[in-house]
Amino acid sequence: GAVVSQHPSRVICKSGTSVKIECRSLDFQATTMFWYRQFPKKSLMLMATSNEGSKATYEQGVEKDKFLINHASLTLSTLTVTSAHPEDSSFYICSARDPAGNQETQYFGPGTRLLVL
Amino acid sequence: DAKTTQPPSMDCAEGRAANLPCNHSTISGNEYVYWYRQIHSQGPQYIIHGLKNNETNEMASLIITEDRKSSTLILPHATLRDTAVYYCIVIKSQAGTALIFGKGTTLSVSS
């Protein structure tokens, strides 16, 4: 299947700082990528849909000014957690659809674990 | 998208077949059934999907009932590495929308 990478895999930061997470599709071009967040023992929750060359679409309750999403190329989307606080500590996962394959199959990155102290 | 119902947990002995059920009684004609799994602390992994017919790949088999209101994911020879949370998701064809995850089934494979 298609490969999606994320960087970094793990990050620890101080409260009030900003953290950038990268999501890359390695062997295909993705016009649409998705960002999820997962708290311990919970299921994945969709945060936003990232469209190449346009503004992201955020789910209800997700602050667009706090979680900045940029999808500047067909292989890279970034999620920046601005002014991070301890409650933002979570497992962040991106996914992308491979337009060459079945239209609805999404491939997920390995996730980024964020710990805000 | 149609809602799915899965048992919260299942156990399976190593080497035996694991049969994971999913109910999707409100599925419509243009909706696919997708299965993903998430091993602890990793991103979800695509397993298999189907529309009407049964499907098989190197990982699993998917059996969809004739009325499409339920399906079963079959891992023919479960191993310890198959211990994970398994998600059954229904999504419209050509919708281009994100996958919405329910609580899934936690499969525990033991020796």
Side-chain angles (χ1 to χ4, degrees), chain A residues 25-96:
Chain A
S25 56
L26 297 185
D27 50 0
F28 65 99
Q29 293 183 326
T31 54
T32 304
M33 291 183 174
F34 304 96
W35 287 96
Y36 294 81
R37 179 168 53 180
Q38 185 175 34
F39 293 106
K41 298 185 186 286
K42 299 292 185 181
S43 188
L44 283 79
M45 291 186 59
L46 178 67
M47 297 176 67
T49 299
S50 171
N51 297 300
E52 187 268 338
S54 64
K55 291 182 179 180
T57 303
Y58 291 82
E59 295 300 299
Q60 189 173 10
V62 178
E63 300 175 57
K64 62 180 181 180
D65 294 330
K66 180 170 182 62
F67 298 99
L68 301 179
I69 291 173
N70 183 284
H71 194 158
S73 79
L74 288 172
T75 59
L76 173 65
S77 175
T78 60
L79 168 67
T80 301
V81 184
T82 62
S83 186
H85 292 286
E87 58 265 32
D88 298 323
S89 298
S90 189
F91 191 47
Y92 291 86
I93 308 168
C94 70
S95 72

Side-chain angles (χ1 to χ4, degrees), chain B residues 36-87:
Chain B
Y36 283 78
R37 72 180 182 184
Q38 185 179 26
I39 296 170
H40 183 62
S41 293
Q42 297 182 22
Q45 177 188 24
Y46 165 76
I47 302 174
I48 199 168
H49 74 277
L51 184 63
K52 296 180 181 178
N53 300 321
N54 298 335
E55 302 288 343
T56 296
N57 63 20
E58 64 278 5
M59 290 184 68
S61 294
L62 174 61
I63 308 298
I64 303 174
T65 58
E66 194 169 338
D67 63 6
R68 301 186 71 238
K69 293 185 177 182
S70 66
S71 61
T72 301
L73 178 73
I74 301 172
L75 307 179
H77 306 286
T79 71
L80 298 179
R81 288 177 292 181
D82 292 322
T83 292
V85 180
Y86 287 76
Y87 296 98

